[in-house]
Amino acid sequence: MFNPTPHQPAIYWPRAVILVDMNAFFAAIEQRDRPEWRGQPVAITNGEQGTCIITCSYEARAYGIKTGMRLKEAKERCPYLIQVPAHPHKYAKASTAIMEALATLTPTIEIFSVDECFLDVTACQSLWGTPEKIGQLARQKVLAASGLLCSIGVSGDKTTAKFAAKLQKPNGFTIIPPWETKERLCHVPVTELCGIAKGIGNFLAGYGVYNCGDMERLPISILAQRFGNLGRRIWYMCQGADPDPVHTNISAPKSMGHGKVLPPNTRNKNTLFVYLLHMCEKLAARLRRHEMHAQTFFVGCRQQWGDWLGKKCKLARPTHDGKIIYQLGQRILHEAWQGQPVCQIQVTALDPQSDQMQYDFFERPDPKRELLNQIIDDINARYGEFAIAPAPLLTRSEMPNVISPAWKPHGHRQTI
Amino acid sequence: MKISIDRETLLKPLQLVSGVVERRQSIPVLANALLKSDKKSFTLTGTDLEIELQGRIALEKISEAGEITVPARKLIDICKTLPEKAQIDLNFDGQKVIVRSGKSRFSLATLPADEFPKTEEFSATLEFKIPATDLRSVIEKTSFAMAQQDVRYYLNGLLFEVSDNQLVAVATDGHRMGYSSIEAKAPGMAQVIVPRKAVLELSRLLADTAGEVDVLFGSNQLQVKTDHYVFTTKLIEGRFPDYSKVIPTGGDKVLIVDRDILKQALNRVAVLANEKHRGVLFELQAGTLRITANNTEQEEAEEELNVNYHGGEMNISFNVTYLFDVINALNAGNMQFTFTNSDSSIRVEQEKSAENNNADVYVIMPMQL
């Protein structure tokens, strides 16, 4: 079906990278499952009560509706907008199915976000054919695994592949062979490339670099001095030679945390502390699931549209016990919060580390608590999150969990 | 105040005082040194509210008594950059301190002496004399094990204990402990915890001190005195853990190995140890010690040493940094490790022999295997 044209003999690409980007992922899943919504403007919110649009279908985008817009404003633009509460577990399942299907093409796969991934297919060309053919295969795999459409960019490096995928949406397919990248990017503004936002853009503009083609004139050392290795990478990126490899292993987490929006103007201590306990238990269970501990934590609550009340604190020894994190959190909030109205709570482990622990003379892990936590984890793994939990959590918020864009089917990001 | 002094005489106490003065502080006067002169002597004082150091100079040429504070750092930099053996005149004219030397002239801003934090009344509960080298030795051999910004605040310092004509120093951060003792003609019994910064400062001070020093324990202060300086520090209030319970006694597996050979092997293995927790694994068998390490990139290092070991087979894992700290605190020759099991603390010391009866003991807590 996808034989190379007779005029264009198959050329072996020195490097071939494919970006697969799902189109309006969450909205497309809802439309797939509810045929009557197809062709209709659909917006996803966090539960029935959510007022902020997480994502929306292309039909809704035609009305100028965007991610992050308030529901009220969106309804003003499009009164027939269909509001759908998010189903994070369904999206996670679809994402996992897609990534697993794509992993049958090449093991060199980098899951960039819940709906995007890079495939390095350089070594698969003799197996599957030209990069173009592999790109078409990828699209078929995605459709078969999920019934969804995607946009695909095929090129010789990650940045150009991502740029290519963006050119045609939805259901696009764009190829930029490596020998054409430099020319194709030449007149593209540098800020169009993934990873170059306003800050770096302004810095480059100061040196007269507006389009990718201008970069060649700027010595690489200027970027290296200001931005280090990232600067060097940007210099290559703009010339269609992004050296960044497709990363297959998920790097160790730098921090791990959970937060939640509170009911507006929360002043009630009990309400606040139930949310605190909820986040501490959630974080502790996640640390345990990934066989990690942490010693330094940030605990804080945010004032209505304002500053954080809270601070970071170090424990005597690393822990993954929700009770200990909660005690620390209570201490911090007792000190930092004097009943001001707050709207958000956050608990973050700042130094998660693997379980290979240094023993301490004076602080020994409590074997009883360790065993208890293990049993709780086993029960919850079978019957669902918080099937068994500390009693105060009976009154916890019913606000649904939110899927993060950084969600990944494996490793420490596999949490909703 | 008006004095005349030669550069070298002024520079030495000035440099001592500068170690105490914080580079950045919230109260302006803490950046200053207090200069005070009377008929017989001239003193310079620096403080950070926790540690106070007073340098003393005996002089005959004082023409006018008085006291004033000047920026410590700037006065040092001026004295340092003046030529050797230069004669320096300090003169407080009521507003500024004028520094004159040869054809150089500097005028320094001042703050009144009564703004300088007053020394707390010191009343000694115990007092003894000890050679400076002895005091420094017990500090050097243990201070590396002090905790740093630990929530267990009483660990962020060094314990000095006097009993039975012995001075004992102990430091621990919960992961390892250093214990060193030395003979001292000290009456009575007492324990004090000296804060981390003071310990490091005192060690620096003692490095340049010859002869004996007077050590005074107060209820919430410690003082170390010579003819040339008085060093005073506040103490950490709190109870230091009972160190005798930390030192294991029942271990039956004894390893004896040459310090330098072990150090070299560890140096090589450590290259590929995990960057974060620095773990190395000891695999012990009769007559051999195998040391291995690996990192997150799945790189591996392995060393095998012929050693004196007759306990049973055992695996135990350590943070290699803790081993290096102990190795560096011990003298060349054989060192002795005593193990109990894989998750119990180990005892490390110099091998006992006729010519060596060093009583220093180190304890290291292993890592989970």
Side-chain angles (χ1 to χ4, degrees), chain A residues 266-297:
Chain A
T266 298
R267 287 160 177 272
N268 184 292
K269 191 179 144 194
N270 281 344
T271 313
L272 181 66
F273 278 54
V274 170
Y275 271 87
L276 174 66
L277 178 62
H278 186 175
M279 293 304 107
C280 292
E281 288 293 338
K282 202 173 163 84
L283 174 59
R286 185 167 167 210
L287 283 168
R288 293 196 295 271
R289 190 158 61 246
H290 301 294
E291 297 178 345
M292 299 192 115
H293 280 83
Q295 192 168 8
T296 316
F297 292 86

PDB file of all heavy atoms in Angstrom, chain A residues 266-297:
ATOM      1  N   THR A 266     -11.959  28.558  52.200  1.00  0.00           N
ATOM      2  CA  THR A 266     -11.971  27.622  53.333  1.00  0.00           C
ATOM      3  C   THR A 266     -11.297  28.258  54.542  1.00  0.00           C
ATOM      4  O   THR A 266     -10.164  28.722  54.464  1.00  0.00           O
ATOM      5  CB  THR A 266     -11.242  26.317  52.947  1.00  0.00           C
ATOM      6  OG1 THR A 266     -11.939  25.716  51.871  1.00  0.00           O
ATOM      7  CG2 THR A 266     -11.167  25.362  54.125  1.00  0.00           C
ATOM      8  N   ARG A 267     -12.021  28.289  55.677  1.00  0.00           N
ATOM      9  CA  ARG A 267     -11.455  28.812  56.922  1.00  0.00           C
ATOM     10  C   ARG A 267     -11.524  27.745  58.017  1.00  0.00           C
ATOM     11  O   ARG A 267     -10.959  27.911  59.080  1.00  0.00           O
ATOM     12  CB  ARG A 267     -12.275  30.006  57.431  1.00  0.00           C
ATOM     13  CG  ARG A 267     -12.094  31.271  56.623  1.00  0.00           C
ATOM     14  CD  ARG A 267     -13.290  32.175  56.900  1.00  0.00           C
ATOM     15  NE  ARG A 267     -13.152  33.445  56.205  1.00  0.00           N
ATOM     16  CZ  ARG A 267     -12.515  34.489  56.725  1.00  0.00           C
ATOM     17  NH1 ARG A 267     -11.971  34.421  57.906  1.00  0.00           N
ATOM     18  NH2 ARG A 267     -12.417  35.603  56.027  1.00  0.00           N
ATOM     19  N   ASN A 268     -12.296  26.705  57.732  1.00  0.00           N
ATOM     20  CA  ASN A 268     -12.529  25.694  58.753  1.00  0.00           C
ATOM     21  C   ASN A 268     -11.311  24.780  58.899  1.00  0.00           C
ATOM     22  O   ASN A 268     -10.810  24.218  57.926  1.00  0.00           O
ATOM     23  CB  ASN A 268     -13.767  24.876  58.352  1.00  0.00           C
ATOM     24  CG  ASN A 268     -14.129  23.865  59.398  1.00  0.00           C
ATOM     25  OD1 ASN A 268     -13.386  22.905  59.620  1.00  0.00           O
ATOM     26  ND2 ASN A 268     -15.239  24.086  60.063  1.00  0.00           N
ATOM     27  N   LYS A 269     -10.832  24.659  60.147  1.00  0.00           N
ATOM     28  CA  LYS A 269      -9.618  23.906  60.389  1.00  0.00           C
ATOM     29  C   LYS A 269      -9.813  22.422  60.071  1.00  0.00           C
ATOM     30  O   LYS A 269      -8.948  21.791  59.477  1.00  0.00           O
ATOM     31  CB  LYS A 269      -9.208  24.080  61.850  1.00  0.00           C
ATOM     32  CG  LYS A 269      -7.825  23.565  62.138  1.00  0.00           C
ATOM     33  CD  LYS A 269      -7.447  23.772  63.575  1.00  0.00           C
ATOM     34  CE  LYS A 269      -6.625  22.596  64.047  1.00  0.00           C
ATOM     35  NZ  LYS A 269      -6.484  22.554  65.496  1.00  0.00           N
ATOM     36  N   ASN A 270     -10.972  21.895  60.468  1.00  0.00           N
ATOM     37  CA  ASN A 270     -11.208  20.476  60.222  1.00  0.00           C
ATOM     38  C   ASN A 270     -11.201  20.164  58.737  1.00  0.00           C
ATOM     39  O   ASN A 270     -10.604  19.175  58.311  1.00  0.00           O
ATOM     40  CB  ASN A 270     -12.553  20.049  60.826  1.00  0.00           C
ATOM     41  CG  ASN A 270     -12.413  19.834  62.318  1.00  0.00           C
ATOM     42  OD1 ASN A 270     -11.308  19.709  62.840  1.00  0.00           O
ATOM     43  ND2 ASN A 270     -13.533  19.829  63.004  1.00  0.00           N
ATOM     44  N   THR A 271     -11.882  21.016  57.963  1.00  0.00           N
ATOM     45  CA  THR A 271     -11.915  20.805  56.512  1.00  0.00           C
ATOM     46  C   THR A 271     -10.497  20.782  55.962  1.00  0.00           C
ATOM     47  O   THR A 271     -10.095  19.872  55.235  1.00  0.00           O
ATOM     48  CB  THR A 271     -12.698  21.950  55.826  1.00  0.00           C
ATOM     49  OG1 THR A 271     -13.903  22.151  56.540  1.00  0.00           O
ATOM     50  CG2 THR A 271     -12.983  21.632  54.380  1.00  0.00           C
ATOM     51  N   LEU A 272      -9.719  21.805  56.362  1.00  0.00           N
ATOM     52  CA  LEU A 272      -8.353  21.931  55.856  1.00  0.00           C
ATOM     53  C   LEU A 272      -7.523  20.706  56.225  1.00  0.00           C
ATOM     54  O   LEU A 272      -6.792  20.155  55.407  1.00  0.00           O
ATOM     55  CB  LEU A 272      -7.712  23.204  56.423  1.00  0.00           C
ATOM     56  CG  LEU A 272      -6.292  23.486  55.953  1.00  0.00           C
ATOM     57  CD1 LEU A 272      -6.266  23.779  54.462  1.00  0.00           C
ATOM     58  CD2 LEU A 272      -5.679  24.653  56.721  1.00  0.00           C
ATOM     59  N   PHE A 273      -7.680  20.243  57.476  1.00  0.00           N
ATOM     60  CA  PHE A 273      -6.832  19.146  57.937  1.00  0.00           C
ATOM     61  C   PHE A 273      -7.248  17.801  57.341  1.00  0.00           C
ATOM     62  O   PHE A 273      -6.419  16.910  57.212  1.00  0.00           O
ATOM     63  CB  PHE A 273      -6.757  19.114  59.472  1.00  0.00           C
ATOM     64  CG  PHE A 273      -5.744  20.095  59.995  1.00  0.00           C
ATOM     65  CD1 PHE A 273      -5.797  21.433  59.641  1.00  0.00           C
ATOM     66  CD2 PHE A 273      -4.698  19.684  60.811  1.00  0.00           C
ATOM     67  CE1 PHE A 273      -4.848  22.344  60.097  1.00  0.00           C
ATOM     68  CE2 PHE A 273      -3.739  20.580  61.263  1.00  0.00           C
ATOM     69  CZ  PHE A 273      -3.823  21.910  60.917  1.00  0.00           C
ATOM     70  N   VAL A 274      -8.522  17.658  56.959  1.00  0.00           N
ATOM     71  CA  VAL A 274      -8.916  16.434  56.253  1.00  0.00           C
ATOM     72  C   VAL A 274      -8.276  16.419  54.862  1.00  0.00           C
ATOM     73  O   VAL A 274      -7.745  15.401  54.418  1.00  0.00           O
ATOM     74  CB  VAL A 274     -10.457  16.314  56.162  1.00  0.00           C
ATOM     75  CG1 VAL A 274     -10.832  15.186  55.216  1.00  0.00           C
ATOM     76  CG2 VAL A 274     -11.040  16.052  57.539  1.00  0.00           C
ATOM     77  N   TYR A 275      -8.270  17.580  54.208  1.00  0.00           N
ATOM     78  CA  TYR A 275      -7.590  17.673  52.907  1.00  0.00           C
ATOM     79  C   TYR A 275      -6.103  17.372  53.068  1.00  0.00           C
ATOM     80  O   TYR A 275      -5.505  16.684  52.236  1.00  0.00           O
ATOM     81  CB  TYR A 275      -7.751  19.082  52.307  1.00  0.00           C
ATOM     82  CG  TYR A 275      -8.983  19.263  51.458  1.00  0.00           C
ATOM     83  CD1 TYR A 275     -10.198  19.624  52.029  1.00  0.00           C
ATOM     84  CD2 TYR A 275      -8.921  19.093  50.085  1.00  0.00           C
ATOM     85  CE1 TYR A 275     -11.320  19.795  51.247  1.00  0.00           C
ATOM     86  CE2 TYR A 275     -10.053  19.263  49.295  1.00  0.00           C
ATOM     87  CZ  TYR A 275     -11.253  19.612  49.882  1.00  0.00           C
ATOM     88  OH  TYR A 275     -12.356  19.785  49.105  1.00  0.00           O
ATOM     89  N   LEU A 276      -5.518  17.899  54.146  1.00  0.00           N
ATOM     90  CA  LEU A 276      -4.089  17.671  54.394  1.00  0.00           C
ATOM     91  C   LEU A 276      -3.814  16.179  54.554  1.00  0.00           C
ATOM     92  O   LEU A 276      -2.909  15.622  53.925  1.00  0.00           O
ATOM     93  CB  LEU A 276      -3.650  18.446  55.644  1.00  0.00           C
ATOM     94  CG  LEU A 276      -2.223  18.192  56.120  1.00  0.00           C
ATOM     95  CD1 LEU A 276      -1.222  18.714  55.105  1.00  0.00           C
ATOM     96  CD2 LEU A 276      -1.959  18.835  57.485  1.00  0.00           C
ATOM     97  N   LEU A 277      -4.629  15.524  55.379  1.00  0.00           N
ATOM     98  CA  LEU A 277      -4.457  14.089  55.612  1.00  0.00           C
ATOM     99  C   LEU A 277      -4.615  13.319  54.294  1.00  0.00           C
ATOM    100  O   LEU A 277      -3.839  12.415  53.989  1.00  0.00           O
ATOM    101  CB  LEU A 277      -5.492  13.609  56.642  1.00  0.00           C
ATOM    102  CG  LEU A 277      -5.475  12.106  56.950  1.00  0.00           C
ATOM    103  CD1 LEU A 277      -4.149  11.684  57.548  1.00  0.00           C
ATOM    104  CD2 LEU A 277      -6.609  11.742  57.902  1.00  0.00           C
ATOM    105  N   HIS A 278      -5.604  13.713  53.519  1.00  0.00           N
ATOM    106  CA  HIS A 278      -5.872  13.078  52.230  1.00  0.00           C
ATOM    107  C   HIS A 278      -4.620  13.133  51.338  1.00  0.00           C
ATOM    108  O   HIS A 278      -4.167  12.112  50.807  1.00  0.00           O
ATOM    109  CB  HIS A 278      -7.053  13.825  51.570  1.00  0.00           C
ATOM    110  CG  HIS A 278      -7.550  13.198  50.306  1.00  0.00           C
ATOM    111  ND1 HIS A 278      -8.648  13.660  49.643  1.00  0.00           N
ATOM    112  CD2 HIS A 278      -7.096  12.161  49.579  1.00  0.00           C
ATOM    113  CE1 HIS A 278      -8.856  12.933  48.566  1.00  0.00           C
ATOM    114  NE2 HIS A 278      -7.920  12.004  48.503  1.00  0.00           N
ATOM    115  N   MET A 279      -4.015  14.318  51.217  1.00  0.00           N
ATOM    116  CA  MET A 279      -2.840  14.490  50.356  1.00  0.00           C
ATOM    117  C   MET A 279      -1.630  13.738  50.910  1.00  0.00           C
ATOM    118  O   MET A 279      -0.842  13.170  50.171  1.00  0.00           O
ATOM    119  CB  MET A 279      -2.508  15.977  50.185  1.00  0.00           C
ATOM    120  CG  MET A 279      -3.539  16.776  49.415  1.00  0.00           C
ATOM    121  SD  MET A 279      -3.868  16.106  47.763  1.00  0.00           S
ATOM    122  CE  MET A 279      -5.468  15.391  47.996  1.00  0.00           C
ATOM    123  N   CYS A 280      -1.484  13.751  52.256  1.00  0.00           N
ATOM    124  CA  CYS A 280      -0.342  13.056  52.885  1.00  0.00           C
ATOM    125  C   CYS A 280      -0.431  11.550  52.647  1.00  0.00           C
ATOM    126  O   CYS A 280       0.562  10.905  52.300  1.00  0.00           O
ATOM    127  CB  CYS A 280      -0.292  13.339  54.383  1.00  0.00           C
ATOM    128  SG  CYS A 280       0.113  15.040  54.770  1.00  0.00           S
ATOM    129  N   GLU A 281      -1.631  10.997  52.817  1.00  0.00           N
ATOM    130  CA  GLU A 281      -1.822   9.556  52.632  1.00  0.00           C
ATOM    131  C   GLU A 281      -1.606   9.177  51.164  1.00  0.00           C
ATOM    132  O   GLU A 281      -1.042   8.136  50.846  1.00  0.00           O
ATOM    133  CB  GLU A 281      -3.222   9.134  53.088  1.00  0.00           C
ATOM    134  CG  GLU A 281      -3.401   9.149  54.610  1.00  0.00           C
ATOM    135  CD  GLU A 281      -2.566   8.088  55.319  1.00  0.00           C
ATOM    136  OE1 GLU A 281      -2.179   7.097  54.680  1.00  0.00           O
ATOM    137  OE2 GLU A 281      -2.284   8.269  56.522  1.00  0.00           O
ATOM    138  N   LYS A 282      -2.078  10.046  50.276  1.00  0.00           N
ATOM    139  CA  LYS A 282      -1.948   9.794  48.844  1.00  0.00           C
ATOM    140  C   LYS A 282      -0.466   9.800  48.448  1.00  0.00           C
ATOM    141  O   LYS A 282       0.001   8.924  47.726  1.00  0.00           O
ATOM    142  CB  LYS A 282      -2.700  10.902  48.096  1.00  0.00           C
ATOM    143  CG  LYS A 282      -3.117  10.546  46.696  1.00  0.00           C
ATOM    144  CD  LYS A 282      -4.001  11.655  46.127  1.00  0.00           C
ATOM    145  CE  LYS A 282      -4.084  11.546  44.638  1.00  0.00           C
ATOM    146  NZ  LYS A 282      -5.089  10.600  44.174  1.00  0.00           N
ATOM    147  N   LEU A 283       0.254  10.793  48.970  1.00  0.00           N
ATOM    148  CA  LEU A 283       1.682  10.900  48.662  1.00  0.00           C
ATOM    149  C   LEU A 283       2.447   9.706  49.237  1.00  0.00           C
ATOM    150  O   LEU A 283       3.290   9.110  48.570  1.00  0.00           O
ATOM    151  CB  LEU A 283       2.232  12.218  49.224  1.00  0.00           C
ATOM    152  CG  LEU A 283       3.740  12.416  49.120  1.00  0.00           C
ATOM    153  CD1 LEU A 283       4.194  12.360  47.668  1.00  0.00           C
ATOM    154  CD2 LEU A 283       4.147  13.750  49.735  1.00  0.00           C
ATOM    155  N   ALA A 284       2.113   9.350  50.489  1.00  0.00           N
ATOM    156  CA  ALA A 284       2.834   8.248  51.143  1.00  0.00           C
ATOM    157  C   ALA A 284       2.607   6.944  50.384  1.00  0.00           C
ATOM    158  O   ALA A 284       3.548   6.178  50.158  1.00  0.00           O
ATOM    159  CB  ALA A 284       2.370   8.124  52.590  1.00  0.00           C
ATOM    160  N   ALA A 285       1.352   6.715  49.955  1.00  0.00           N
ATOM    161  CA  ALA A 285       1.045   5.479  49.229  1.00  0.00           C
ATOM    162  C   ALA A 285       1.813   5.454  47.909  1.00  0.00           C
ATOM    163  O   ALA A 285       2.313   4.409  47.487  1.00  0.00           O
ATOM    164  CB  ALA A 285      -0.452   5.383  48.974  1.00  0.00           C
ATOM    165  N   ARG A 286       1.938   6.625  47.289  1.00  0.00           N
ATOM    166  CA  ARG A 286       2.658   6.687  46.015  1.00  0.00           C
ATOM    167  C   ARG A 286       4.146   6.454  46.222  1.00  0.00           C
ATOM    168  O   ARG A 286       4.793   5.766  45.430  1.00  0.00           O
ATOM    169  CB  ARG A 286       2.411   8.047  45.378  1.00  0.00           C
ATOM    170  CG  ARG A 286       3.009   8.173  43.994  1.00  0.00           C
ATOM    171  CD  ARG A 286       2.455   9.395  43.334  1.00  0.00           C
ATOM    172  NE  ARG A 286       3.174   9.773  42.149  1.00  0.00           N
ATOM    173  CZ  ARG A 286       3.281  11.050  41.747  1.00  0.00           C
ATOM    174  NH1 ARG A 286       2.727  12.014  42.457  1.00  0.00           N
ATOM    175  NH2 ARG A 286       3.915  11.328  40.659  1.00  0.00           N
ATOM    176  N   LEU A 287       4.714   7.025  47.282  1.00  0.00           N
ATOM    177  CA  LEU A 287       6.131   6.777  47.588  1.00  0.00           C
ATOM    178  C   LEU A 287       6.350   5.284  47.782  1.00  0.00           C
ATOM    179  O   LEU A 287       7.301   4.704  47.255  1.00  0.00           O
ATOM    180  CB  LEU A 287       6.544   7.537  48.852  1.00  0.00           C
ATOM    181  CG  LEU A 287       6.800   9.041  48.727  1.00  0.00           C
ATOM    182  CD1 LEU A 287       6.914   9.678  50.101  1.00  0.00           C
ATOM    183  CD2 LEU A 287       8.069   9.326  47.922  1.00  0.00           C
ATOM    184  N   ARG A 288       5.438   4.644  48.534  1.00  0.00           N
ATOM    185  CA  ARG A 288       5.604   3.219  48.804  1.00  0.00           C
ATOM    186  C   ARG A 288       5.468   2.398  47.531  1.00  0.00           C
ATOM    187  O   ARG A 288       6.214   1.447  47.312  1.00  0.00           O
ATOM    188  CB  ARG A 288       4.562   2.743  49.835  1.00  0.00           C
ATOM    189  CG  ARG A 288       4.755   3.320  51.219  1.00  0.00           C
ATOM    190  CD  ARG A 288       3.963   2.539  52.254  1.00  0.00           C
ATOM    191  NE  ARG A 288       2.535   2.632  52.069  1.00  0.00           N
ATOM    192  CZ  ARG A 288       1.755   3.564  52.597  1.00  0.00           C
ATOM    193  NH1 ARG A 288       2.286   4.504  53.356  1.00  0.00           N
ATOM    194  NH2 ARG A 288       0.461   3.565  52.383  1.00  0.00           N
ATOM    195  N   ARG A 289       4.520   2.784  46.679  1.00  0.00           N
ATOM    196  CA  ARG A 289       4.295   2.035  45.445  1.00  0.00           C
ATOM    197  C   ARG A 289       5.562   2.030  44.589  1.00  0.00           C
ATOM    198  O   ARG A 289       5.854   1.079  43.884  1.00  0.00           O
ATOM    199  CB  ARG A 289       3.128   2.642  44.683  1.00  0.00           C
ATOM    200  CG  ARG A 289       2.647   1.800  43.510  1.00  0.00           C
ATOM    201  CD  ARG A 289       1.214   2.111  43.107  1.00  0.00           C
ATOM    202  NE  ARG A 289       1.036   3.479  42.694  1.00  0.00           N
ATOM    203  CZ  ARG A 289       0.294   4.379  43.344  1.00  0.00           C
ATOM    204  NH1 ARG A 289      -0.326   4.037  44.452  1.00  0.00           N
ATOM    205  NH2 ARG A 289       0.189   5.611  42.914  1.00  0.00           N
ATOM    206  N   HIS A 290       6.322   3.123  44.654  1.00  0.00           N
ATOM    207  CA  HIS A 290       7.531   3.200  43.837  1.00  0.00           C
ATOM    208  C   HIS A 290       8.789   2.903  44.640  1.00  0.00           C
ATOM    209  O   HIS A 290       9.889   3.258  44.240  1.00  0.00           O
ATOM    210  CB  HIS A 290       7.593   4.550  43.141  1.00  0.00           C
ATOM    211  CG  HIS A 290       6.404   4.759  42.267  1.00  0.00           C
ATOM    212  ND1 HIS A 290       6.179   3.998  41.156  1.00  0.00           N
ATOM    213  CD2 HIS A 290       5.334   5.566  42.402  1.00  0.00           C
ATOM    214  CE1 HIS A 290       5.021   4.342  40.616  1.00  0.00           C
ATOM    215  NE2 HIS A 290       4.491   5.290  41.355  1.00  0.00           N
ATOM    216  N   GLU A 291       8.591   2.292  45.800  1.00  0.00           N
ATOM    217  CA  GLU A 291       9.697   1.877  46.664  1.00  0.00           C
ATOM    218  C   GLU A 291      10.646   3.024  46.943  1.00  0.00           C
ATOM    219  O   GLU A 291      11.841   2.957  46.700  1.00  0.00           O
ATOM    220  CB  GLU A 291      10.425   0.684  46.029  1.00  0.00           C
ATOM    221  CG  GLU A 291       9.494  -0.507  45.907  1.00  0.00           C
ATOM    222  CD  GLU A 291      10.133  -1.703  45.239  1.00  0.00           C
ATOM    223  OE1 GLU A 291      11.187  -1.530  44.614  1.00  0.00           O
ATOM    224  OE2 GLU A 291       9.586  -2.804  45.355  1.00  0.00           O
ATOM    225  N   MET A 292      10.057   4.117  47.411  1.00  0.00           N
ATOM    226  CA  MET A 292      10.856   5.303  47.715  1.00  0.00           C
ATOM    227  C   MET A 292      10.545   5.828  49.107  1.00  0.00           C
ATOM    228  O   MET A 292       9.544   5.463  49.720  1.00  0.00           O
ATOM    229  CB  MET A 292      10.555   6.392  46.698  1.00  0.00           C
ATOM    230  CG  MET A 292      10.906   5.979  45.290  1.00  0.00           C
ATOM    231  SD  MET A 292      10.865   7.348  44.181  1.00  0.00           S
ATOM    232  CE  MET A 292      12.564   7.427  43.751  1.00  0.00           C
ATOM    233  N   HIS A 293      11.450   6.708  49.555  1.00  0.00           N
ATOM    234  CA  HIS A 293      11.317   7.418  50.826  1.00  0.00           C
ATOM    235  C   HIS A 293      11.604   8.885  50.547  1.00  0.00           C
ATOM    236  O   HIS A 293      12.224   9.204  49.545  1.00  0.00           O
ATOM    237  CB  HIS A 293      12.399   6.969  51.807  1.00  0.00           C
ATOM    238  CG  HIS A 293      12.109   5.692  52.491  1.00  0.00           C
ATOM    239  ND1 HIS A 293      12.379   4.492  51.905  1.00  0.00           N
ATOM    240  CD2 HIS A 293      11.589   5.432  53.694  1.00  0.00           C
ATOM    241  CE1 HIS A 293      12.025   3.527  52.745  1.00  0.00           C
ATOM    242  NE2 HIS A 293      11.540   4.073  53.835  1.00  0.00           N
ATOM    243  N   ALA A 294      11.224   9.736  51.453  1.00  0.00           N
ATOM    244  CA  ALA A 294      11.660  11.129  51.347  1.00  0.00           C
ATOM    245  C   ALA A 294      11.850  11.677  52.745  1.00  0.00           C
ATOM    246  O   ALA A 294      11.230  11.212  53.697  1.00  0.00           O
ATOM    247  CB  ALA A 294      10.650  11.962  50.584  1.00  0.00           C
ATOM    248  N   GLN A 295      12.759  12.666  52.841  1.00  0.00           N
ATOM    249  CA  GLN A 295      13.084  13.224  54.147  1.00  0.00           C
ATOM    250  C   GLN A 295      12.663  14.689  54.259  1.00  0.00           C
ATOM    251  O   GLN A 295      12.370  15.176  55.333  1.00  0.00           O
ATOM    252  CB  GLN A 295      14.598  13.099  54.387  1.00  0.00           C
ATOM    253  CG  GLN A 295      14.990  13.385  55.820  1.00  0.00           C
ATOM    254  CD  GLN A 295      16.425  12.985  56.103  1.00  0.00           C
ATOM    255  OE1 GLN A 295      17.183  12.624  55.217  1.00  0.00           O
ATOM    256  NE2 GLN A 295      16.815  13.064  57.355  1.00  0.00           N
ATOM    257  N   THR A 296      12.645  15.392  53.114  1.00  0.00           N
ATOM    258  CA  THR A 296      12.291  16.811  53.134  1.00  0.00           C
ATOM    259  C   THR A 296      10.958  17.015  52.427  1.00  0.00           C
ATOM    260  O   THR A 296      10.768  16.518  51.316  1.00  0.00           O
ATOM    261  CB  THR A 296      13.381  17.643  52.437  1.00  0.00           C
ATOM    262  OG1 THR A 296      14.641  17.165  52.871  1.00  0.00           O
ATOM    263  CG2 THR A 296      13.250  19.108  52.770  1.00  0.00           C
ATOM    264  N   PHE A 297      10.060  17.732  53.079  1.00  0.00           N
ATOM    265  CA  PHE A 297       8.721  17.916  52.520  1.00  0.00           C
ATOM    266  C   PHE A 297       8.353  19.390  52.492  1.00  0.00           C
ATOM    267  O   PHE A 297       8.755  20.157  53.373  1.00  0.00           O
ATOM    268  CB  PHE A 297       7.678  17.178  53.369  1.00  0.00           C
ATOM    269  CG  PHE A 297       7.806  15.684  53.295  1.00  0.00           C
ATOM    270  CD1 PHE A 297       8.682  15.014  54.139  1.00  0.00           C
ATOM    271  CD2 PHE A 297       7.069  14.958  52.380  1.00  0.00           C
ATOM    272  CE1 PHE A 297       8.816  13.637  54.070  1.00  0.00           C
ATOM    273  CE2 PHE A 297       7.200  13.584  52.303  1.00  0.00           C
ATOM    274  CZ  PHE A 297       8.071  12.917  53.141  1.00  0.00           C
TER     275      PHE A 297
END
